[in-house]
């Protein structure tokens, strides 16, 4: 995909979000597009930045550390979202690098993040990942344990959690998972819902997404081995 294709992809995704918002009677300003740039080099990201997009998602701390410091010098108002699985021993770098972390999903990570937040005096916004499909290979808190985990984040680790994130199982229709995430968020008084990717962000917007994470519809297909 050429650079212009990514800018064209960005425009199309922006238009689709507007259309979905209008279809479902939602304020388009309540839906944030997180452009997922994982696996794409700085050269591929630069035109999308130049076109005005400022919010990006990355899956790997190491990769983000290589790409983003230089891009940020040119675009200091970039907002970087961590959307991939996070190892506790990467908490330090994650707190240094990211403005939002979507993948808080266990006590050991909550503890590591709380420690770094106190140490660095920098406070990324936090979302708890929910494993709505209860898939063993996937990160996230299972639905039955989310309320207790949120409570532990608050009282035990002193972390303010803004919302929830999910990645539905690839083989399922996504809507029931989005609806479940919405229900869990509502009963916990959370307003931020990170759900919906290239293939299903329309359904996610229908069901209340505030953040859609869109990669391939903007940047094109990723090499297969690194598609997660
Ligand atoms: C890769 C990824 C995305 C983007 O997926 P696309 O299908 O390319 O839009 C969104 N969320 C997470 C957690 C991802 O890993």
């Amino acid at each position: 995909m050429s650079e212009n294709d990514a800018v064209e992809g960005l425009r199309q995704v922006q238009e689709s979000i507007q259309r979905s918002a209008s279809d479902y009677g939602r304020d388009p300003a309540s839906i944030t597009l997180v452009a997922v740039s994982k696996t794409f080099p700085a050269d591929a990201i630069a035109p999308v930045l130049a076109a005005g997009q400022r919010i990006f998602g990355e899956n790997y701390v190491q990769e983000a550390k290589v790409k983003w410091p230089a891009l940020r010098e040119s675009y200091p108002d970039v907002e970087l979202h961590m959307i991939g699985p996070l190892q506790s021993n990467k908490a330090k770098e994650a707190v240094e690098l990211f403005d939002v972390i979507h993948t808080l999903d266990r006590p050991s990570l909550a503890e590591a993040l709380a420690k770094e937040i106190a140490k660095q005096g920098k406070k990324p916004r936090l979302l708890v990942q929910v494993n709505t499909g209860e898939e063993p290979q996937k990160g996230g808190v299972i639905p039955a344990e989310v309320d207790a985990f949120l409570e532990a984040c608050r009282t035990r680790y002193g972390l303010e959690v803004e919302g929830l994130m999910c990645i539905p199982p690839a083989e399922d229709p996504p809507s029931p998972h989005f609806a479940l995430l919405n229900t869990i968020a509502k009963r916990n008084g959370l307003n931020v819902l990170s759900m919906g990717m290239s293939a299903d962000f329309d359904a996610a917007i229908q069901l209340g997404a505030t953040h859609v994470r869109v990669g391939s519809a903007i940047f094109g297909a990723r090499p297969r081995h690194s598609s997660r």
Side-chain angles (χ1 to χ4, degrees):
M1 217 184 217
S2 82
E3 297 180 355
N4 289 339
D5 288 338
V7 172
E8 178 56 26
L10 174 69
R11 296 279 172 251
Q12 284 178 8
V13 169
Q14 287 168 333
E15 275 176 36
S16 302
I17 291 171
Q18 297 272 338
R19 206 176 315 119
S20 300
S22 125
D23 284 353
Y24 305 123
R26 297 199 45 204
D27 176 2
S30 70
I31 301 153
T32 299
L33 170 61
V34 180
V36 177
S37 47
K38 65 179 176 202
T39 79
F40 289 95
D43 297 8
I45 300 170
V48 176
L49 279 161
Q53 176 68 23
R54 289 293 181 274
I55 304 177
F56 290 84
E58 290 283 346
N59 281 53
Y60 310 97
V61 172
Q62 279 326 105
E63 183 187 335
K65 228 173 98 176
V66 171
K67 290 186 328 198
W68 282 98
L71 289 168
R72 261 185 167 156
E73 279 183 22
S74 313
Y75 298 95
D77 55 341
V78 154
E79 189 178 290
L80 212 51
H81 291 231
M82 175 57 177
I83 62 169
L86 184 56
Q87 293 170 268
S88 299
N89 64 12
K90 296 271 165 58
K92 174 175 185 286
E93 291 164 298
V95 170
E96 284 166 0
L97 201 54
F98 291 99
D99 302 290
V100 187
I101 295 173
H102 292 226
T103 49
L104 171 56
D105 67 351
R106 58 194 190 280
S108 57
L109 182 57
E111 188 176 0
L113 289 172
K115 206 171 113 195
E116 281 306 323
I117 286 166
K119 210 193 261 176
Q120 297 183 29
K122 181 174 180 278
K123 202 169 172 182
R125 286 143 59 199
L126 299 173
L127 310 184
V128 163
Q129 182 177 354
V130 181
N131 188 352
T132 55
E134 307 196 22
E135 297 172 281
Q137 81 284 8
K138 202 170 264 175
V141 182
I142 63 167
E145 292 174 0
V146 176
D147 298 15
F149 181 64
L150 288 168
E151 177 66 15
C153 285
R154 229 180 347 257
T155 58
R156 185 148 184 209
Y157 304 107
L159 295 175
E160 264 169 62
V161 172
E162 275 194 358
L164 303 178
M165 175 271 215
C166 77
I167 311 168
E171 65 281 5
D172 278 12
S175 290
H177 296 273
F178 297 152
L180 175 60
L181 199 71
N182 191 332
T183 300
I184 300 171
K186 279 219 177 88
R187 85 173 170 241
N188 285 283
L190 299 173
N191 299 318
V192 173
L193 281 176
S194 166
M195 57 190 198
M197 322 205 306
S198 292
D200 55 19
F201 66 81
D202 175 77
I205 290 169
Q206 180 176 23
L207 291 161
T210 61
H211 292 68
V212 293
R213 309 176 310 264
V214 180
S216 48
I218 297 170
F219 291 101
R222 289 177 295 273
R224 202 155 186 281
H225 64 272
S226 51
S227 67
R228 260 256 335 106

